[in-house]
Amino acid sequence: MKIGIMGGTFDPIHMGHLLAAEAARDSHALDEIWFMPSHVPPHKRGAGASGQQRLDMTEAAIQDVQQYEMLDIEMELGGVSYTIDTMKELWNRYPEHDFYFIIGADMVNYLPKWEQIEELAARLTFIGVGRPGFQLHLDDLPDELQDKVLLAEMPLVDISSTAIRKRLAKGQSVRFMIPVAVHEYIVRSGLYGTKP
Ligand code: NAP
C-alpha cells in the first residue's frame, strides 16, 4: 500500500494538520494516512501536553475516518524523534509498504538540515503541502532531493498549534479550528490553561 506518514508534535492537532493530510492523500492516491505524534521533536523545545495526551488528542481527531490510523512508534522508541530512526524501524516492520512523508511546504527548504537526509531521501518520497499557487523552489535543494519531493495543494488555513494554545489560555474560542472531540479532551484535562 501507499502510506502517507503525517508526523508532528500535534500540541494540539488542528484542522490545518487534517487538511494537509487529506490533501496529500487525495492528490497522490495514498491508501492510508498514519498520524505519528513525535516523542521529542528534533527542532523545537518540549511540548506542552504529555506524549500520552498528544496521542489521545490525535486519536480523538481521526477516530471517525476510515483511512486514518494512529502510529505511536515514536513514543515507543523514545528520545529525540529523528525521522531517519523512525523510518528505519518502519521499513523493517512493513517492507511491503511504500511510505510518503507529509510536511508543510514551508518545511521543504529546511529538509537539507534533517539528520541523515541523504539516506532518508534515498528510500522516501516527501509530499510538501502548500496553498494553491505555492511554488516549491526545488532548484535550491541538493540534487539528491530534487526529484524526491512532490507537491499537494490545500486551502490556505492560517492555524497553528501555538495560536490555539494562546487562544485557549485567554479563554477565546477555538471552535472550527480543532475537532470537537479534541476540544472536549483539552477542557476535560485542563490542558493549555483551560478550566475543567
Ligand atoms: P507540527 O508543527 O506539529 O505540524 C505537523 C505538520 O503540519 C508540519 O509539517 C507543519 O508544517 C504542518 N502544518 C501545521 N499547520 C499547518 C497549516 N495551517 N497548514 C498547512 N500545514 C500545516 O510538526 P513539526 O513538529 O514541525 O514536525 C513535522 C515532522 O517533521 C515531525 O514528524 C518531525 O519529527 C519531523 N522532523 C524531523 C526532523 C529530523 O529528522 N531532523 C527535523 C524537523 C522535523 P510547517 O512546519 O510548515 O508548519
Coordinates of all heavy atoms in Angstrom, one line a residue, residues 41-120:
P41 N 10.4 16.4 19.5 CA 10.7 16.9 18.2 C 12.1 17.4 18.1 O 12.6 18.0 19.0 CB 9.7 18.0 17.9 CG 9.1 18.4 19.3 CD 9.3 17.2 20.2
P42 N 12.8 17.1 16.9 CA 14.2 17.5 16.8 C 14.5 19.0 16.8 O 15.5 19.4 17.2 CB 14.6 16.9 15.4 CG 13.5 16.0 15.0 CD 12.3 16.4 15.7
H43 N 13.5 19.8 16.4 CA 13.7 21.2 16.1 C 13.0 22.1 17.0 O 12.9 23.3 16.7 CB 13.4 21.4 14.7 CG 11.9 21.1 14.3 ND1 11.3 19.9 14.7 CD2 11.0 21.8 13.7 CE1 10.1 19.9 14.4 NE2 9.8 21.1 13.8
K44 N 12.4 21.6 18.1 CA 11.6 22.5 19.0 C 11.9 22.2 20.4 O 12.3 21.1 20.7 CB 10.1 22.2 18.8 CG 9.5 22.6 17.4 CD 8.0 22.3 17.4 CE 7.4 22.7 16.1 NZ 6.0 22.1 16.0
R45 N 11.5 23.2 21.3 CA 11.5 22.8 22.7 C 10.4 21.9 23.0 O 9.4 21.7 22.2 CB 11.4 24.1 23.5 CG 12.7 25.0 23.4 CD 12.6 26.3 24.0 NE 12.0 26.2 25.4 CZ 11.3 27.2 26.0 NH1 11.0 28.2 25.3 NH2 10.9 27.0 27.2
G46 N 10.4 21.3 24.2 CA 9.4 20.2 24.5 C 8.0 20.7 24.3 O 7.7 21.9 24.4
A47 N 7.1 19.7 24.2 CA 5.6 20.0 24.0 C 5.0 20.4 25.3 O 5.5 20.1 26.4 CB 5.0 18.8 23.4
G48 N 3.8 21.1 25.3 CA 3.1 21.5 26.5 C 2.3 20.3 27.1 O 2.4 20.0 28.3
A49 N 1.7 19.5 26.2 CA 0.9 18.3 26.6 C 1.9 17.1 26.6 O 2.9 17.1 25.9 CB -0.2 18.1 25.6
S50 N 1.6 16.1 27.5 CA 2.4 14.9 27.5 C 2.3 14.1 26.3 O 1.4 14.3 25.5 CB 2.0 14.1 28.7 OG 0.8 13.5 28.5
G51 N 3.2 13.2 26.1 CA 3.1 12.3 25.0 C 1.8 11.5 24.9 O 1.1 11.5 23.9
Q52 N 1.4 11.0 26.1 CA 0.1 10.3 26.1 C -1.1 11.2 25.7 O -2.0 10.8 25.0 CB -0.1 9.7 27.5 CG -1.4 8.8 27.6 CD -1.3 7.6 26.6 OE1 -0.3 6.9 26.5 NE2 -2.3 7.4 25.7
Q53 N -1.0 12.5 26.2 CA -2.1 13.4 25.9 C -2.1 13.7 24.4 O -3.2 13.8 23.8 CB -2.0 14.7 26.7 CG -2.3 14.4 28.2 CD -2.0 15.6 29.1 OE1 -1.0 16.3 28.9 NE2 -2.8 15.9 30.1
R54 N -1.0 13.9 23.8 CA -0.9 14.2 22.4 C -1.4 13.0 21.5 O -2.0 13.1 20.5 CB 0.5 14.7 22.0 CG 0.8 16.0 22.6 CD 2.1 16.6 22.2 NE 3.2 15.9 22.8 CZ 4.1 15.1 22.1 NH1 4.1 15.1 20.8 NH2 5.1 14.5 22.8
L55 N -1.1 11.8 22.0 CA -1.6 10.5 21.4 C -3.1 10.5 21.5 O -3.9 10.3 20.5 CB -1.1 9.3 22.0 CG 0.4 8.9 21.7 CD1 0.8 7.7 22.6 CD2 0.6 8.5 20.3
D56 N -3.7 10.8 22.7 CA -5.1 10.8 22.9 C -5.8 11.8 22.0 O -6.9 11.5 21.4 CB -5.4 11.1 24.4 CG -5.0 10.0 25.3 OD1 -4.7 8.9 24.9 OD2 -4.9 10.3 26.6
M57 N -5.2 13.0 21.9 CA -5.9 14.1 21.1 C -5.9 13.7 19.6 O -6.8 13.9 18.9 CB -5.2 15.4 21.3 CG -5.4 16.0 22.7 SD -4.8 17.7 22.8 CE -3.1 17.4 23.1
T58 N -4.8 13.1 19.2 CA -4.7 12.7 17.8 C -5.7 11.6 17.5 O -6.4 11.6 16.5 CB -3.2 12.2 17.5 OG1 -2.3 13.3 17.8 CG2 -3.1 11.8 16.0
E59 N -5.8 10.6 18.4 CA -6.8 9.5 18.3 C -8.2 10.1 18.2 O -9.0 9.7 17.3 CB -6.6 8.5 19.4 CG -7.5 7.3 19.4 CD -7.2 6.4 18.2 OE1 -6.0 6.1 18.1 OE2 -8.1 6.0 17.4
A60 N -8.5 11.1 19.1 CA -9.8 11.7 19.1 C -10.1 12.4 17.7 O -11.2 12.4 17.2 CB -9.9 12.7 20.2
A61 N -9.0 13.0 17.1 CA -9.2 13.8 15.9 C -9.5 12.9 14.7 O -10.2 13.3 13.8 CB -8.0 14.6 15.6
I62 N -9.0 11.6 14.7 CA -9.0 10.8 13.5 C -10.0 9.6 13.6 O -10.2 8.9 12.7 CB -7.6 10.3 13.1 CG1 -7.1 9.4 14.1 CG2 -6.7 11.5 12.8 CD1 -5.8 8.7 13.7
Q63 N -10.6 9.5 14.8 CA -11.3 8.2 15.1 C -12.4 7.9 14.1 O -12.7 6.7 13.9 CB -11.9 8.3 16.5 CG -12.9 9.4 16.7 CD -13.2 9.7 18.2 OE1 -12.8 8.9 19.0 NE2 -14.0 10.7 18.5
D64 N -13.0 8.9 13.4 CA -14.1 8.6 12.6 C -13.7 8.4 11.1 O -14.6 8.2 10.2 CB -15.2 9.7 12.6 CG -15.8 9.7 14.0 OD1 -15.9 8.7 14.7 OD2 -16.1 10.9 14.5
V65 N -12.4 8.5 10.8 CA -12.0 8.5 9.4 C -11.4 7.1 9.1 O -10.3 6.8 9.7 CB -11.0 9.6 9.1 CG1 -10.8 9.6 7.6 CG2 -11.6 10.9 9.5
Q66 N -12.0 6.4 8.2 CA -11.5 5.0 8.0 C -10.1 4.9 7.5 O -9.4 4.0 7.9 CB -12.5 4.4 6.9 CG -12.6 2.9 7.0 CD -13.3 2.4 5.7 OE1 -13.7 3.1 4.9 NE2 -13.3 1.1 5.6
Q67 N -9.7 5.8 6.6 CA -8.3 5.7 6.1 C -7.2 6.3 7.0 O -6.1 6.3 6.6 CB -8.2 6.4 4.7 CG -9.1 5.7 3.7 CD -9.8 6.7 2.8 OE1 -10.3 7.7 3.2 NE2 -9.8 6.4 1.5
Y68 N -7.6 6.8 8.1 CA -6.6 7.4 9.0 C -6.3 6.4 10.2 O -7.2 5.9 10.8 CB -7.1 8.7 9.6 CG -7.3 9.8 8.6 CD1 -7.7 11.1 9.1 CD2 -7.0 9.7 7.3 CE1 -7.9 12.2 8.2 CE2 -7.1 10.8 6.4 CZ -7.6 12.0 6.9 OH -7.8 13.1 6.0
E69 N -5.0 6.3 10.5 CA -4.6 5.4 11.6 C -3.7 6.2 12.5 O -3.0 7.2 12.1 CB -3.9 4.2 11.1 CG -4.7 3.3 10.2 CD -5.8 2.5 10.9 OE1 -5.7 2.4 12.1 OE2 -6.7 2.1 10.2
M70 N -3.5 5.8 13.7 CA -2.6 6.4 14.6 C -1.3 5.5 14.7 O -1.4 4.3 14.7 CB -3.2 6.4 16.0 CG -2.2 6.7 17.0 SD -2.1 8.4 17.3 CE -2.9 8.2 18.8
L71 N -0.2 6.1 14.8 CA 1.1 5.4 14.9 C 1.9 5.9 16.1 O 2.3 7.1 16.1 CB 1.9 5.7 13.6 CG 3.2 4.9 13.3 CD1 2.8 3.4 13.2 CD2 3.8 5.4 12.0
D72 N 2.0 5.1 17.1 CA 2.7 5.6 18.3 C 4.1 5.1 18.4 O 4.7 5.1 19.5 CB 1.9 5.1 19.6 CG 1.8 3.6 19.7 OD1 2.4 2.9 18.8 OD2 1.2 3.1 20.7
I73 N 4.7 4.9 17.2 CA 6.1 4.3 17.2 C 7.1 5.2 17.8 O 8.1 4.8 18.5 CB 6.5 3.9 15.8 CG1 7.8 3.1 15.7 CG2 6.5 5.1 14.8 CD1 8.1 2.5 14.4
E74 N 7.0 6.6 17.7 CA 8.0 7.5 18.2 C 7.9 7.5 19.7 O 8.9 7.7 20.4 CB 7.9 8.9 17.5 CG 8.3 8.8 16.0 CD 8.6 10.1 15.3 OE1 8.0 11.1 15.7 OE2 9.4 10.0 14.4
M75 N 6.7 7.3 20.3 CA 6.6 7.3 21.7 C 7.3 6.0 22.2 O 8.0 5.9 23.2 CB 5.1 7.2 22.2 CG 4.3 8.4 21.8 SD 4.9 9.9 22.6 CE 4.0 11.1 21.6
E76 N 7.1 4.9 21.5 CA 7.7 3.6 21.8 C 9.2 3.7 21.7 O 9.9 3.2 22.6 CB 7.1 2.6 20.8 CG 7.6 1.2 21.0 CD 7.2 0.4 19.7 OE1 6.1 0.6 19.1 OE2 8.0 -0.5 19.3
L77 N 9.7 4.4 20.7 CA 11.2 4.4 20.5 C 11.8 5.4 21.5 O 13.0 5.2 22.0 CB 11.5 4.9 19.1 CG 11.2 3.9 18.0 CD1 11.4 4.6 16.6 CD2 11.9 2.6 18.1
G78 N 11.1 6.4 22.0 CA 11.6 7.4 23.0 C 12.7 8.3 22.4 O 13.0 8.2 21.2
G79 N 13.2 9.1 23.3 CA 14.3 10.0 22.9 C 13.9 11.1 21.9 O 12.7 11.3 21.7
V80 N 14.9 11.7 21.2 CA 14.6 12.7 20.2 C 14.1 11.9 18.9 O 14.7 10.9 18.5 CB 15.8 13.5 19.9 CG1 15.5 14.5 18.8 CG2 16.3 14.3 21.1
S81 N 13.0 12.4 18.4 CA 12.4 11.7 17.3 C 13.0 12.1 15.9 O 12.4 12.9 15.2 CB 10.9 12.0 17.3 OG 10.3 11.7 18.5
Y82 N 14.1 11.6 15.6 CA 14.7 11.8 14.3 C 14.0 10.9 13.3 O 13.9 9.7 13.5 CB 16.2 11.5 14.3 CG 17.0 12.5 15.1 CD1 17.6 12.2 16.3 CD2 17.1 13.9 14.7 CE1 18.3 13.1 17.0 CE2 17.8 14.8 15.5 CZ 18.4 14.4 16.6 OH 19.0 15.3 17.4
T83 N 13.6 11.5 12.2 CA 12.7 10.8 11.2 C 13.5 9.6 10.6 O 12.9 8.5 10.4 CB 12.3 11.7 10.1 OG1 11.6 12.8 10.8 CG2 11.3 11.1 9.1
I84 N 14.8 9.7 10.5 CA 15.6 8.6 9.9 C 15.5 7.3 10.8 O 15.4 6.2 10.3 CB 17.1 9.0 9.7 CG1 17.9 7.8 9.0 CG2 17.8 9.4 11.0 CD1 17.5 7.5 7.6
D85 N 15.6 7.5 12.1 CA 15.5 6.4 13.1 C 14.1 5.7 13.0 O 14.0 4.5 13.0 CB 15.7 6.8 14.5 CG 17.1 7.4 14.7 OD1 18.0 7.1 13.9 OD2 17.2 8.3 15.6
T86 N 13.1 6.6 12.9 CA 11.7 6.1 12.8 C 11.5 5.3 11.5 O 10.9 4.2 11.5 CB 10.7 7.3 12.8 OG1 11.0 8.1 13.9 CG2 9.3 6.8 13.0
M87 N 12.0 5.9 10.4 CA 11.7 5.3 9.1 C 12.5 3.9 9.0 O 11.9 3.0 8.4 CB 12.1 6.2 8.0 CG 11.2 7.4 7.7 SD 9.4 6.9 7.7 CE 9.4 5.7 6.4
K88 N 13.7 3.8 9.6 CA 14.4 2.6 9.6 C 13.6 1.5 10.2 O 13.5 0.3 9.8 CB 15.7 2.7 10.3 CG 16.8 3.3 9.4 CD 18.1 3.4 10.2 CE 19.2 4.0 9.3 NZ 20.4 4.4 10.1
E89 N 12.9 1.8 11.3 CA 12.1 0.9 12.1 C 10.8 0.5 11.2 O 10.5 -0.6 11.2 CB 11.7 1.6 13.4 CG 11.2 0.7 14.4 CD 12.1 -0.4 14.9 OE1 13.4 -0.1 15.0 OE2 11.7 -1.5 15.1
L90 N 10.3 1.5 10.6 CA 9.1 1.3 9.8 C 9.4 0.4 8.5 O 8.6 -0.5 8.2 CB 8.4 2.6 9.3 CG 7.7 3.4 10.4 CD1 7.1 4.7 9.9 CD2 6.5 2.5 11.0
W91 N 10.5 0.7 7.9 CA 11.0 -0.1 6.8 C 11.2 -1.6 7.2 O 10.9 -2.5 6.4 CB 12.2 0.5 6.1 CG 12.0 1.7 5.3 CD1 10.9 2.0 4.6 CD2 12.8 2.9 5.3 NE1 11.0 3.3 4.0 CE2 12.2 3.9 4.5 CE3 14.0 3.3 5.9 CZ2 12.7 5.1 4.2 CZ3 14.6 4.5 5.6 CH2 14.0 5.4 4.8
N92 N 11.7 -1.8 8.4 CA 11.9 -3.1 8.9 C 10.6 -3.8 9.1 O 10.4 -5.0 8.8 CB 12.6 -3.1 10.2 CG 14.1 -3.2 10.0 OD1 14.6 -3.6 9.0 ND2 14.9 -2.7 11.0
R93 N 9.7 -3.1 9.8 CA 8.4 -3.7 10.2 C 7.4 -3.9 9.0 O 6.6 -4.8 9.1 CB 7.7 -2.8 11.3 CG 8.4 -2.8 12.6 CD 7.6 -2.1 13.6 NE 8.4 -1.7 14.8 CZ 8.0 -1.1 15.9 NH1 6.7 -0.8 16.0 NH2 8.8 -0.8 16.8
Y94 N 7.5 -3.0 8.1 CA 6.5 -3.0 7.0 C 7.2 -3.0 5.6 O 7.0 -2.0 4.9 CB 5.5 -1.8 7.1 CG 4.8 -1.7 8.4 CD1 5.3 -0.8 9.4 CD2 3.7 -2.5 8.7 CE1 4.6 -0.7 10.6 CE2 3.1 -2.4 10.0 CZ 3.5 -1.5 10.9 OH 2.9 -1.4 12.1
P95 N 8.0 -4.0 5.3 CA 8.7 -3.9 4.0 C 7.8 -3.9 2.8 O 8.2 -3.5 1.7 CB 9.6 -5.2 4.0 CG 8.9 -6.1 5.0 CD 8.2 -5.2 6.0
E96 N 6.5 -4.3 3.0 CA 5.6 -4.4 1.9 C 5.0 -3.0 1.5 O 4.4 -2.9 0.4 CB 4.4 -5.3 2.2 CG 3.4 -4.9 3.3 CD 3.9 -5.1 4.7 OE1 5.1 -5.2 5.0 OE2 3.0 -5.2 5.6
H97 N 5.1 -2.0 2.3 CA 4.5 -0.7 2.0 C 5.5 0.3 1.4 O 6.7 0.3 1.7 CB 4.0 0.0 3.3 CG 2.8 -0.8 3.9 ND1 1.9 -1.5 3.2 CD2 2.4 -0.9 5.2 CE1 1.0 -2.0 4.0 NE2 1.3 -1.7 5.2
D98 N 4.9 1.3 0.6 CA 5.7 2.5 0.1 C 5.3 3.6 1.0 O 4.1 3.9 1.1 CB 5.3 2.8 -1.3 CG 5.9 1.8 -2.3 OD1 7.0 1.3 -2.0 OD2 5.3 1.7 -3.4
F99 N 6.3 4.3 1.6 CA 6.0 5.4 2.5 C 6.2 6.8 1.9 O 7.2 7.0 1.2 CB 6.8 5.3 3.8 CG 6.4 4.1 4.7 CD1 7.1 2.9 4.7 CD2 5.2 4.2 5.4 CE1 6.7 1.9 5.5 CE2 4.8 3.1 6.2 CZ 5.5 2.0 6.3
Y100 N 5.3 7.7 2.2 CA 5.4 9.1 1.8 C 5.3 9.9 3.0 O 4.5 9.7 3.8 CB 4.2 9.4 0.8 CG 4.2 8.7 -0.5 CD1 3.9 7.3 -0.5 CD2 4.6 9.3 -1.6 CE1 3.9 6.6 -1.7 CE2 4.6 8.6 -2.8 CZ 4.3 7.3 -2.9 OH 4.3 6.6 -4.0
F101 N 6.3 10.8 3.2 CA 6.3 11.6 4.4 C 5.8 13.0 4.1 O 6.3 13.8 3.3 CB 7.7 11.7 5.0 CG 7.8 12.0 6.4 CD1 7.8 11.0 7.4 CD2 7.9 13.4 6.9 CE1 7.8 11.3 8.7 CE2 7.9 13.7 8.2 CZ 7.9 12.7 9.2
I102 N 4.7 13.4 4.8 CA 4.0 14.6 4.5 C 4.5 15.8 5.4 O 4.6 15.6 6.6 CB 2.4 14.4 4.8 CG1 1.9 13.2 4.0 CG2 1.7 15.7 4.6 CD1 0.6 12.7 4.5
I103 N 4.9 16.9 4.8 CA 5.4 18.0 5.5 C 4.8 19.3 5.0 O 4.3 19.3 3.8 CB 6.9 18.1 5.5 CG1 7.4 18.1 4.0 CG2 7.6 17.1 6.3 CD1 8.9 18.4 3.9
G104 N 4.7 20.3 5.8 CA 4.3 21.6 5.3 C 5.3 22.1 4.2 O 6.5 21.9 4.3
A105 N 4.8 22.7 3.2 CA 5.6 23.1 2.0 C 6.7 24.1 2.5 O 7.9 24.1 2.0 CB 4.8 23.8 0.9
D106 N 6.5 24.9 3.6 CA 7.5 25.8 4.1 C 8.7 25.0 4.7 O 9.8 25.5 4.8 CB 6.9 26.7 5.2 CG 5.8 27.6 4.7 OD1 5.7 27.7 3.4 OD2 5.0 28.1 5.5
M107 N 8.4 23.8 5.1 CA 9.5 22.9 5.7 C 10.4 22.3 4.6 O 11.5 21.9 4.9 CB 8.8 21.8 6.5 CG 9.6 20.8 7.2 SD 10.6 21.4 8.5 CE 9.6 20.8 9.9
V108 N 10.0 22.4 3.3 CA 10.7 21.7 2.3 C 12.2 22.2 2.2 O 13.1 21.4 2.1 CB 10.0 21.8 0.9 CG1 10.9 21.3 -0.2 CG2 8.7 21.0 0.9
N109 N 12.3 23.5 2.3 CA 13.7 24.0 2.1 C 14.6 23.8 3.4 O 15.7 24.2 3.4 CB 13.6 25.5 1.7 CG 13.1 25.6 0.3 OD1 13.6 25.0 -0.6 ND2 12.1 26.4 0.1
Y110 N 13.9 23.3 4.4 CA 14.7 23.0 5.7 C 15.1 21.6 5.7 O 16.0 21.2 6.5 CB 13.7 23.4 6.8 CG 14.2 23.0 8.2 CD1 15.2 23.8 8.9 CD2 13.7 21.9 8.9 CE1 15.6 23.5 10.2 CE2 14.1 21.6 10.2 CZ 15.1 22.4 10.8 OH 15.5 22.1 12.1
L111 N 14.6 20.8 4.7 CA 15.0 19.3 4.6 C 16.5 19.0 4.7 O 16.9 18.1 5.3 CB 14.3 18.7 3.4 CG 12.9 18.3 3.5 CD1 12.4 17.7 2.2 CD2 12.6 17.3 4.6
P112 N 17.3 19.8 3.9 CA 18.7 19.5 4.0 C 19.3 19.5 5.4 O 20.4 18.9 5.6 CB 19.4 20.6 3.1 CG 18.3 21.1 2.2 CD 17.0 20.9 3.0
K113 N 18.7 20.1 6.3 CA 19.2 20.1 7.7 C 18.8 18.9 8.5 O 19.2 18.7 9.6 CB 18.7 21.4 8.4 CG 19.2 22.7 7.8 CD 19.2 23.8 8.8 CE 19.9 25.1 8.3 NZ 19.2 25.7 7.2
W114 N 17.9 18.1 8.0 CA 17.4 16.9 8.7 C 18.5 15.9 8.9 O 19.4 15.8 8.0 CB 16.2 16.3 8.0 CG 14.9 17.0 8.2 CD1 14.7 18.3 8.3 CD2 13.6 16.4 8.1 NE1 13.4 18.6 8.4 CE2 12.7 17.4 8.3 CE3 13.1 15.1 8.0 CZ2 11.3 17.2 8.3 CZ3 11.8 14.8 8.0 CH2 10.9 15.9 8.1
E115 N 18.5 15.2 10.0 CA 19.5 14.1 10.2 C 19.5 13.1 9.1 O 18.5 12.6 8.7 CB 19.1 13.3 11.5 CG 19.3 14.1 12.8 CD 20.8 14.3 13.1 OE1 21.6 13.3 13.1 OE2 21.1 15.5 13.3
Q116 N 20.7 12.8 8.6 CA 21.0 11.8 7.5 C 20.0 11.9 6.4 O 19.4 10.9 6.0 CB 20.9 10.4 8.2 CG 22.0 10.2 9.2 CD 21.9 8.8 9.9 OE1 21.8 7.8 9.2 NE2 21.9 8.8 11.2
I117 N 19.8 13.1 5.9 CA 18.8 13.3 4.9 C 19.0 12.5 3.6 O 18.1 12.1 2.9 CB 18.6 14.8 4.6 CG1 17.4 15.1 3.7 CG2 19.9 15.5 4.1 CD1 16.1 14.7 4.2
E118 N 20.3 12.3 3.3 CA 20.6 11.6 2.0 C 20.1 10.2 2.1 O 19.5 9.7 1.2 CB 22.2 11.5 1.8 CG 22.9 12.8 1.6 CD 23.2 13.5 2.9 OE1 23.0 12.9 4.0 OE2 23.7 14.6 2.9
E119 N 20.3 9.5 3.3 CA 19.8 8.1 3.4 C 18.3 8.1 3.4 O 17.7 7.2 2.9 CB 20.4 7.6 4.8 CG 20.3 6.1 4.8 CD 20.8 5.5 6.1 OE1 21.6 6.2 6.8 OE2 20.5 4.3 6.4
L120 N 17.7 9.1 4.1 CA 16.3 9.2 4.1 C 15.7 9.4 2.7 O 14.7 8.6 2.3 CB 15.9 10.4 5.0 CG 14.5 10.5 5.7 CD1 14.2 9.2 6.4 CD2 14.5 11.7 6.6

